[in-house]
Amino acid sequence: MNSIREAASVIAHRGASGYLPEHTLAAKALAHAQGADYLEQDVVATRDGHVIVCHDLYLERVTNVVDVFPARNRDDGHYYAIDFDWSEIKELAVSCDVVAAAALVDAAAPAASGEPFRICLLDEEIEFIHGLNSASG
């Protein structure tokens, strides 16, 4: 009989989100390097119809949107992705402890270095993952 590990697949929920900021290219590269069978994507639409990779419908938990667009929240206090254009979302930085994550990024995601901590379009992330798969065979 097969062991549970042999029968099950490892799904990297939001990438290696226990180590690096969720849904970033760096987190996806680390999860791939750690041997994940699947890299799970959450997607949300922007106001101008782009599909971004983000777990939440709102941006304040994972980005600096409060600092960049302080007056753009709704009455409930949230900054919803659907209220922003892709060009505005590209201005945001993903919240993370950059010092703690730097060594992991350098080791696991050289292709993502430069902008490893940002929100990506779904198309960008799929292209990145295809590159990881091609590079690793």
Side-chain angles (χ1 to χ4, degrees):
M1 178 179 273
N2 292 339
S3 71
I4 291 174
R5 173 61 183 118
E6 291 172 349
S9 295
V10 175
I11 301 171
H13 184 64
R14 305 181 203 169
S17 58
Y19 299 95
L20 294 168
E22 66 185 50
H23 281 313
T24 59
L25 294 181
K28 297 298 171 83
L30 181 58
H32 188 273
Q34 291 173 330
D37 298 306
Y38 299 96
L39 302 176
E40 177 259 346
Q41 317 293 338
D42 291 313
V43 296
V44 179
T46 65
R47 178 172 55 197
D48 54 350
H50 291 278
V51 179
I52 61 172
V53 181
C54 189
H55 176 73
D56 299 321
L57 297 176
Y58 40 86
L59 301 168
E60 71 271 7
R61 186 179 65 80
V62 294
T63 72
N64 64 341
V65 68
V66 176
D67 298 326
V68 178
F69 299 104
R72 295 280 298 277
N73 60 305
R74 289 191 186 181
D75 290 341
D76 65 2
H78 291 300
Y79 294 77
Y80 288 84
I82 195 76
D83 295 337
F84 293 85
D85 291 329
W86 170 235
S87 63
E88 295 170 321
I89 290 174
K90 287 192 307 188
E91 296 178 40
L92 304 177
V94 171
S95 304
C96 69
D97 182 347
V98 175
V99 174
L104 288 171
V105 172
D106 290 341
S113 60
E115 290 187 278
F117 302 127
R118 66 177 180 87
I119 292 177
C120 295
L121 293 170
L122 179 60
D123 291 346
E124 291 177 307
E125 189 156 308
I126 290 171
E127 184 178 331
F128 179 74
I129 293 167
H130 280 303
L132 291 173
N133 286 337
S134 294
S136 67

